[in-house]
Amino acid sequence: MSNRTTIETIKQKLPIESVVGSYIKLEKSGKNFKACCPFHSEKTASFQVTPDLGIYKCFGCQKGGDIFSFVQEIEGVTFYESLVSLAEKAGVTLDRSSDLEDGKPSRFATLRTIMNDAAKFYEVNFRKSPEVVNYLLSRGVTKDTMVTFRIGYAPKGWGNVSDYLKKKYSPQDIISVGLGIQGERGIYDRFRERIMFPISDGQGRVVAFTGRVMPGTEESTRPVGKYINSPETDLYHKSNILFGYDKAKSFIHADGFAVIVEGQMDCIMSHQAGIKNTVAISGTAATDEHMKILGRFTDDIAIALDADNAGLAAAQKTAIVAYRNDMKVSVIDIPNGKDPADTIAENPEHWKTAIKHRKDFITFRLEKMKIQGGDKLAIAKKELFPILREF
């Protein structure tokens, strides 16, 4: 099959409204579809998808093209990578001997393959570690959920995943994806004796990991963080990645709002409880890019962060970023100050009820001010005025 024939076959199998609609919320407009452009900020929809021609066009920023250019633009990838991604979705086998990029995967494709191989390695070791599986079962995580989120385990030792990957990849590439660290005697593993949570991009491709220390292991006694994350790499930029987004985006579209939690366990347990429109900020502050990603499907977010002062401060910061991006903001107020994961493990219905009765953020803050007492003007200046400036 020639390159041109392959491209046309993929286009026939993947209607443009289906491809674009997996990233942004489209509205029917006669024979066509419209939306607010995902490539620039706007309040009035000027982005149009024309199924009959298989093209999209924004009449604001003038960007346009077909399914391949759309994936290139929104994912920030090469044409070859968009071709590989869409071919997989269409079930089309590519002729790897073709002259596309000299018939070789791009460097980004190689790095993604390394990350996927690492995820498989961790998954296999997880299944070989009953004490780790049992620990997660004790936290309320089911085996089906473990499989869905590809939870893994980095075993004890300094070179397990590095030695495994060096059979196929260069040490420099292993370091560049954040799995290995250069030492005096060669590279060693960044993640050791940790439960591994893969972080995926919007297409479900693993780009990073969070490693949680396993209680009772040697690693847990060292002066390191309970959680450690992959560093920023060519694949992973934490300012534009939301944990669980690849699994949540269609449900965000269907439900009309997104639930934002703080950690991976909160997100995983929420999906397990049936609230699949949930994403996690995952140990970083909310960014404008996060809101733009969610804004492809909704303008309504519900924040469920920890109930302590740090969690309240994080919720405040998230709300300010959301308001700056013209989002509606509510708060999921969980009784007894528990986090979502523990609440769901105790009784999933408590979590569902809290979401059902979520409160407008401004109303929630005013209620908190009443509870706090003290100088109301001083509290308002500190808590509310920064939000009002975003309107």
Side-chain angles (χ1 to χ4, degrees), residues 52 54 64 180-181 225 255 299 343-344 372 381-382:
D52 288 348
I181 299 173
D255 296 336
D299 63 354
T343 299
I344 294 164
Q372 289 172 350
K381 285 180 178 179
K382 179 182 177 182

Side-chain angles (χ1 to χ4, degrees), residues 336-347:
N336 303 319
K338 293 185 177 180
D339 63 29
D342 289 340
T343 299
I344 294 164
E346 183 179 284
N347 189 334

Side-chain angles (χ1 to χ4, degrees), residues 76-372:
V77 297
T78 65
F79 172 76
Y80 179 80
E81 289 174 306
S82 72
L83 177 65
V84 171
S85 175
L86 291 170
E88 289 176 355
K89 288 182 180 296
V92 173
T93 302
L94 291 179
D95 178 6
R96 298 302 178 113
S97 65
S98 68
D99 60 0
L100 290 169
E101 298 213 355
D102 297 324
K104 298 177 182 178
S106 69
R107 178 171 179 272
F108 279 91
T110 297
L111 299 183
R112 289 192 178 98
T113 303
I114 294 173
M115 295 301 282
N116 189 54
D117 284 354
K120 291 178 181 177
F121 175 85
Y122 292 137
E123 285 179 285
V124 169
N125 280 279
F126 177 74
R127 290 194 291 271
K128 292 179 179 178
S129 307
E131 70 282 2
V132 183
V133 174
N134 289 334
Y135 168 72
L136 287 179
L137 288 171
S138 74
R139 293 287 307 274
V141 184
T142 67
K143 289 187 176 180
D144 284 345
T145 298
M146 296 174 198
V147 172
T148 298
F149 281 87
R150 301 190 66 182
I151 296 175
Y153 181 64
K156 181 179 180 179
W158 291 88
N160 290 294
V161 77
S162 297
D163 290 343
Y164 172 76
L165 294 172
K166 279 190 292 186
K167 297 173 184 177
K168 294 172 60 178
Y169 309 104
S170 72
Q172 186 54 48
D173 281 344
I174 297 169
I175 292 170
S176 69
V177 294
L179 292 170
I181 299 173
Q182 184 65 55
E184 293 181 1
R185 301 180 182 178
I187 66 171
Y188 62 92
D189 293 350
R190 180 180 300 274
F191 300 100
R192 305 176 303 277
E193 285 191 285
R194 288 179 179 267
I195 302 168
M196 300 298 289
F197 299 96
I199 300 171
S200 300
D201 63 14
Q203 291 295 292
R205 300 171 299 196
V206 178
V207 295
F209 292 94
T210 290
R212 187 202 190 282
V213 68
M214 178 63 186
T217 64
E218 180 183 340
E219 187 74 10
S220 67
T221 65
R222 295 175 184 161
V224 291
K226 181 178 179 181
Y227 290 91
I228 59 173
N229 300 305
S230 293
E232 295 260 326
T233 68
D234 288 341
L235 295 181
Y236 176 56
H237 303 284
K238 61 184 179 181
S239 64
N240 60 14
I241 293 284
L242 288 163
F243 180 81
Y245 173 73
D246 58 306
K247 297 174 178 61
K249 58 185 181 180
S250 62
F251 295 97
I252 293 171
H253 186 179
D255 296 336
F257 72 102
V259 174
I260 299 180
V261 296
E262 187 167 22
Q264 281 99 338
M265 279 293 291
D266 296 324
C267 182
I268 288 168
M269 292 297 287
S270 187
H271 278 251
Q272 181 176 296
I275 309 300
K276 298 186 177 184
N277 55 329
T278 305
V279 296
I281 296 175
S282 193
T284 186
T287 66
D288 290 319
E289 190 60 34
H290 288 149
M291 296 305 155
K292 289 174 183 176
I293 291 169
L294 294 174
R296 296 169 185 169
F297 296 101
T298 186
D299 63 354
D300 190 350
I301 67 166
I303 305 170
L305 303 182
D306 290 350
D308 57 15
N309 289 335
L312 196 57
Q316 175 93 350
K317 291 177 181 177
T318 300
I320 289 173
V321 176
Y323 284 128
R324 187 163 66 230
N325 287 274
D326 298 317
M327 310 284 272
K328 302 172 187 175
V329 186
S330 57
V331 174
I332 301 169
D333 193 10
I334 304 173
N336 303 319
K338 293 185 177 180
D339 63 29
D342 289 340
T343 299
I344 294 164
E346 183 179 284
N347 189 334
E349 293 306 315
H350 292 166
W351 174 237
K352 294 177 183 178
T353 299
I355 293 174
K356 183 178 180 181
H357 296 290
R358 60 190 184 277
K359 302 176 182 178
D360 170 76
F361 184 80
I362 300 295
T363 302
F364 171 79
R365 291 306 290 126
L366 289 171
E367 290 177 355
K368 283 290 183 183
M369 285 171 58
K370 291 179 182 178
I371 294 171
Q372 289 172 350

